[in-house]
Amino acid sequence: PEPEPEPEPEPEPELQAEPETGGRASALGPALLGTHDASEHLFRTDIKLANGMELAIWQDPLSKFSTLLGHSLYPAASVLVQWFCDLPDGQRAFGGKHVLELGAGLGAVGMALAKQYGARVLITDQAGLVPLIQHNITMNFPQAQAECLHGLAAVPVPTTRSLSWGKESTGQSEGHWDWVVGSDVAYAGKHQELAETLLCESGRNTRITLALSDRAERVNLDEFLESAEEFFEIRLVKRVEWKFQQQLGVELYELARRM
């Protein structure tokens, strides 16, 4: 008898716009994350925004795609998202405004501002994290959703690019950015470079809000604040107690350029 034909191989799973809550990501194609199979490594966390909106944040906690910091959702990002979402005048403050997110990691803060308020956001981090940021943008801003979230007005879809502090700029004119935001950006050193980038990207009317983690040793946090004081007036807005590994809490700061 003739041998039975071998079964055809099952097709690779497609990238789904709305994966199941709490599940794992389906495989990502080469355009997003090279040749890696993300289905075994990416994990989803949902963040609730106002008016019933949610963000689906895909993390790489096992560092399979990058050994860079920023592949997981850290408390500082969650605190900053909640802070912005609870602002009573948030729509007036962010609606249609140009927002730059520095050291974005997964891009949660910038995406929240775009989705909830319609801010025009550029999300930046090191080049190795940009593909994961882009994946999160793609999953949270499919075109059909963008057209209906705010009625007939399309929600601006965030963009992303790499940005090396102290070496590169976004190329925008002074005062272009209405807001510059960042979370946990003082953790890995480069304090002077971060301060210089904040100065380069801000104008006199730019509002800068940072959520910085207070860990067991405040060296990184205090060193950044010392570097930034050369260029900015700094005000502690709020402290949130949040014990996580070596972290003791999250502190929210507002910075304003010195005249």
Side-chain angles (χ1 to χ4, degrees), residues 205-225:
N205 297 319
T206 302
R207 301 182 64 176
I208 302 173
T209 302
L210 305 177
L212 306 178
S213 295
D214 173 20
R215 291 179 168 82
E217 297 181 1
R218 287 180 58 96
V219 175
N220 284 310
L221 176 55
D222 289 340
E223 285 184 356
F224 165 70
L225 293 175

Side-chain angles (χ1 to χ4, degrees), residues 11-252:
E12 290 291 330
E14 296 181 356
L15 188 64
Q16 300 296 321
E18 296 185 43
E20 295 182 359
T21 301
R24 297 183 177 185
S26 56
L28 300 182
L32 286 178
L33 292 173
T35 59
H36 297 289
D37 180 3
S39 61
E40 296 300 322
H41 309 308
L42 294 188
F43 299 85
R44 173 175 168 169
T45 299
D46 290 342
I47 298 179
K48 294 187 180 300
L49 307 179
N51 302 323
M53 298 181 184
E54 286 188 348
L55 281 178
I57 304 298
W58 293 97
Q59 308 176 65
D60 178 24
L62 301 180
S63 303
K64 295 296 184 180
F65 298 109
S66 174
T67 58
L68 298 172
L69 297 173
H71 45 68
S72 295
L73 183 66
Y74 293 105
S78 298
V79 168
L80 192 54
V81 168
Q82 192 63 53
W83 171 258
F84 285 144
C85 287
D86 290 343
L87 289 177
D89 62 343
Q91 188 61 51
R92 180 176 62 83
F94 287 104
K97 298 299 177 64
H98 293 94
V99 179
L100 171 64
E101 184 179 6
L102 298 176
L106 302 171
V109 177
M111 289 191 297
L113 294 175
K115 179 168 276 194
Q116 179 156 334
Y117 298 124
R120 302 180 183 278
V121 184
L122 173 61
I123 302 175
T124 67
D125 209 313
Q126 299 179 74
L129 289 169
V130 168
L132 189 54
I133 295 173
Q134 184 59 60
H135 173 60
N136 274 301
I137 292 173
T138 300
M139 297 295 277
N140 282 279
F141 292 86
Q143 188 61 34
Q145 185 179 9
E147 292 175 352
C148 69
L149 274 178
H150 289 178
L152 298 177
V155 175
V157 177
T159 57
T160 184
R161 58 157 287 180
S162 62
L163 186 66
S164 180
W165 298 342
K167 298 179 181 179
E168 300 176 321
S169 76
T170 60
Q172 300 295 341
S173 59
E174 180 176 332
H176 172 80
W177 300 112
D178 300 297
W179 288 81
V180 178
V181 302
S183 60
D184 219 355
V185 288
Y187 175 61
K190 295 189 176 181
H191 306 121
Q192 186 65 29
E193 293 88 342
L194 173 57
E196 291 173 357
T197 294
L198 287 169
L199 183 65
C200 174
E201 299 296 344
S202 62
R204 291 183 178 181
N205 297 319
T206 302
R207 301 182 64 176
I208 302 173
T209 302
L210 305 177
L212 306 178
S213 295
D214 173 20
R215 291 179 168 82
E217 297 181 1
R218 287 180 58 96
V219 175
N220 284 310
L221 176 55
D222 289 340
E223 285 184 356
F224 165 70
L225 293 175
E226 183 178 348
S227 296
E229 282 178 344
E230 179 182 354
F231 309 115
F232 300 96
E233 299 286 348
I234 302 174
R235 182 171 74 94
L236 175 62
V237 178
K238 181 179 182 180
R239 178 181 171 87
V240 177
E241 301 299 326
W242 192 323
K243 297 187 182 300
F244 175 76
Q245 297 178 357
Q246 297 298 313
Q247 182 170 299
L248 302 176
V250 176
E251 297 180 353
L252 270 66

